[in-house]
Amino acid sequence: TTTEVAKKLGLSDQTIRRMCETGKFPGAYKTDGGHWRIPQDIFVTTPEQDDRAEQILHQIDRKNQEAGDVDEFNL
């Protein structure tokens, strides 16, 4: 969906819809209800890989928060 692609690419849903309308995603099509569908196989990573990357980034964020601020002049 446009929402999934927006999250994947870090763009707004509206931007993704405009990109669909201008043919930026090969194979994208509109459903009878007017919603865009974008083929997963045009992206380098799979949804599973995206989920795993998200988990890793959350772990890194947690560890950084636990470590607190670092004073680069007091190492």
Side-chain angles (χ1 to χ4, degrees):
T1 66
T2 56
T3 302
E4 292 167 330
V5 173
K7 181 180 177 188
K8 180 182 191 74
L9 300 181
L11 299 170
S12 73
D13 190 72
Q14 184 178 12
T15 297
I16 300 302
R17 287 193 306 272
R18 278 197 307 265
M19 291 173 78
C20 288
E21 290 167 2
T22 58
K24 300 291 184 193
F25 298 112
Y29 64 94
K30 251 187 182 177
T31 65
D32 290 338
H35 301 281
W36 283 99
R37 295 294 179 256
I38 304 161
Q40 289 181 359
D41 62 355
I42 66 170
F43 298 103
V44 174
T45 58
T46 66
E48 294 78 17
Q49 290 169 322
D50 295 339
D51 290 341
R52 182 65 183 134
E54 184 90 14
Q55 291 171 2
I56 291 168
L57 291 174
H58 283 292
Q59 288 174 349
I60 291 170
D61 285 343
R62 244 182 287 122
K63 287 184 185 240
N64 285 336
Q65 287 174 356
E66 290 169 6
D69 291 334
V70 175
D71 181 355
E72 63 189 58
F73 298 105
N74 191 20
L75 293 175

